[in-house]
Amino acid sequence: MSLDDRARQILRDNDAGGFTLPTKRLYPFQWNWDSAFAALGFATFDLDRAWTEIETLLEGQWSNGMVPHIIFRKEDPDYFPGPSVWQTGTEPPSSGISQPPVAASVVRRLLEQAGDASEPRARAAFGKLLAWHRWFHTQRDPDRLGVIAATHPWEAGRDNSPDWDEALSSVDTSGVGSYERRDTSHVDPSMRPTKQDYDRYLAILKFGVAVAWDPLRIYRNGPFLVADPGLTFILLRADRDLLWLADRLGEMAVAEEIASWVATAEAGADRLWSEDLGGYAALDLKTGQSAPALSSVAFLAFYAGLTDRAAALCENLKRFRARSSYAVASFDPGNSRFDAVRYWRGSVWAVINFLIGQGLADQGQIDLADMVRADTAHLIRGGGFAEYYDPVTGRGVGGQTFTWTAAVWLAWGLSDIESTQS
Ligand code: GLC
């Protein structure tokens, strides 16, 4: 079976009826950005199904505009923490935080691909995406700093990145109590966050429950508030794509509002710039402290359309690659906190590579874009459709038969890349 066929089969197998599971057992629900990427994969062979994925994701939208990071729909004993822990009281049941908003960029791509026939579906999605982006700008950046804060590491989608270590170390876990994790019974615990990390994740979650998931109380008084280059850059790109959609769909009444978000973020990104590191770094908004080293999301500046500091970023990207074997390690391979297999502490993620590669190509950094794309193809050929990859050995790690990795394979046309090792 060709890898294209295999990727299509994975998407079909993980289809739970209009929405796609990231992988069975380990993640038995609909995850926000996973679904957006799944839609791109489906779009290569079943456009109708691609739209459905976006529509089911947006079904989870809260009345305040937020699109949650997990839509549960039902309890599942394989997963912790489930809906009874989150206690959001929503229908369908969902978590109480969001995730990187790639969906508007996906909707733009679907409409570009499908043309006029898809316009009604794009129009229906547009109003919901607009409300979601507005929620991000008012509830995750209420002071209009131009940087988007994660109020939980899971909101950034990079659960145990070293970017959060300092901020997490001051989270009080005394009220967490006992609980049973399920993730470590599905994959090797050495690849998953530690117990201490998990206690902190739950303590932050419990704060949300205590304030009935009031986003502004979470922003102002919650135990964790870190401005994230990933969320900031993905939303900036998504806002540009939303503006494109507004124009295409004749929704000009809101164009000015969206343009103001873009302008605020373009100016605000400077706050994340670290001269010492030569890149954009996570910033603890409670303490004013920057992350100790760069994460791969720094390179999403290109994807966000920010090109002022291209030279320093390109140098760092080359350095990351020189210190591992494959682009792009999720955390600086030269830093002592780098860990090649423990989740977001160093491993390579195909979806982040896809966004980085797209941004590099958009900005004319063709050699680097080609390098990231070829490395991604080699990782998948060698390591299977894994959740993520060891950047030193290329081994596929975490869950297997993973939806977003299969989707990237298809959407990025990776079967075109020869199977020779780079
Ligand atoms: C992990 C990742 C997150 C992803 C989820 C489902 O929690 O950190 O980004 O959305 O798995 O794949």
Side-chain angles (χ1 to χ4, degrees), residues 22 27 31 33-34 99 157 159 343-344 387 402 404:
Y27 301 110
W31 260 258
W33 66 333
D34 298 66
Q99 241 189 352
D159 305 13
Y343 228 32
W344 291 94
E387 183 175 7
F402 224 83
W404 67 10

Side-chain angles (χ1 to χ4, degrees), residues 48-379:
D48 174 54
R49 182 62 188 77
W51 279 111
T52 304
E53 188 77 31
I54 297 294
E55 288 157 359
T56 57
L57 170 62
L58 294 175
E59 270 170 26
Q61 184 162 43
W62 287 20
S63 56
N64 69 5
M66 184 184 82
V67 180
H69 102 289
I70 308 174
I71 304 173
F72 294 112
R73 292 198 167 79
K74 58 175 177 47
E75 278 286 357
D76 191 309
D78 268 335
Y79 188 79
F80 177 87
S84 59
V85 182
W86 287 92
Q87 297 177 50
T88 59
T90 54
E91 195 44 52
S94 62
S95 69
I97 54 171
S98 199
Q99 241 189 352
V102 284
S105 302
V106 171
V107 166
R108 171 180 175 167
R109 202 161 143 157
L110 297 187
L111 184 57
E112 282 179 320
Q113 183 181 330
D116 293 349
S118 277
E119 222 181 271
R121 296 179 94 167
R123 194 178 296 286
F126 179 81
K128 296 177 182 178
L129 294 167
L130 177 72
W132 182 23
H133 288 205
R134 190 180 286 134
W135 175 88
F136 259 117
H137 289 290
T138 56
Q139 312 299 310
R140 290 299 188 251
D141 182 23
D143 300 323
R144 302 212 89 185
L145 301 175
V147 290
I148 302 297
T151 62
H152 191 298
W154 293 342
E155 194 156 54
R158 300 184 293 121
D159 305 13
N160 65 334
S161 169
D163 286 357
W164 327 127
D165 286 358
E166 249 64 80
L168 283 176
S169 67
S170 53
V171 172
D172 175 9
T173 57
S174 54
V176 164
S178 63
Y179 59 91
E180 193 193 338
R181 281 172 72 169
R182 302 312 311 259
D183 58 322
T184 41
S185 56
H186 303 311
V187 295
D188 183 339
S190 70
M191 300 173 185
R192 300 292 303 181
T194 62
K195 154 110 174 86
Q196 191 183 48
D197 285 335
Y198 241 79
D199 284 353
R200 291 165 173 164
Y201 301 153
L202 289 174
I204 303 170
L205 191 166
K206 279 175 184 272
F207 180 88
V209 174
V211 299
W213 297 104
D214 176 336
L216 279 183
R217 287 178 72 187
I218 292 172
Y219 189 97
R220 300 273 178 231
N221 308 320
F224 182 93
L225 194 71
V226 182
D228 173 30
L231 279 171
T232 302
F233 292 157
I234 287 171
L235 183 59
L236 175 49
R237 170 60 177 256
D239 279 334
R240 295 188 199 279
D241 291 330
L242 197 65
L243 198 52
W244 182 93
L245 284 166
D247 187 43
R248 171 73 174 70
L249 299 169
E251 301 274 1
M252 294 322 287
V254 292
E256 204 179 310
E257 182 184 10
I258 303 171
S260 79
W261 297 336
V262 169
T264 305
E266 282 177 341
D270 280 358
R271 293 177 194 277
L272 302 179
W273 182 259
S274 160
E275 206 52 50
D276 290 351
L277 300 176
Y280 296 95
L283 174 68
D284 187 332
L285 292 177
K286 288 178 176 292
T287 62
Q289 205 182 335
S290 282
L294 296 184
S295 282
S296 55
V297 291
F299 308 118
L300 292 176
F302 298 101
Y303 177 74
L306 302 176
T307 51
D308 293 359
R309 286 140 165 163
L313 286 170
C314 290
E315 277 319 302
N316 263 314
L317 180 54
K318 289 181 201 155
R319 188 178 58 80
F320 269 42
R321 173 59 156 70
R323 295 197 73 128
S324 48
S325 317
Y326 298 90
V328 179
S330 51
F331 193 70
D332 186 343
N335 187 275
S336 59
R337 296 189 193 196
F338 170 83
D339 181 329
V341 296
R342 201 182 280 279
Y343 228 32
W344 291 94
R345 303 186 73 86
S347 52
V348 180
W349 296 73
V351 286
I352 301 287
N353 278 12
F354 177 55
L355 301 181
I356 292 174
Q358 224 176 293
L360 288 165
D362 289 350
Q363 305 305 337
Q365 301 283 353
I366 303 304
D367 290 351
L368 287 175
D370 288 349
M371 175 188 85
V372 173
R373 184 163 174 264
D375 279 1
T376 311
H378 293 138
L379 283 168

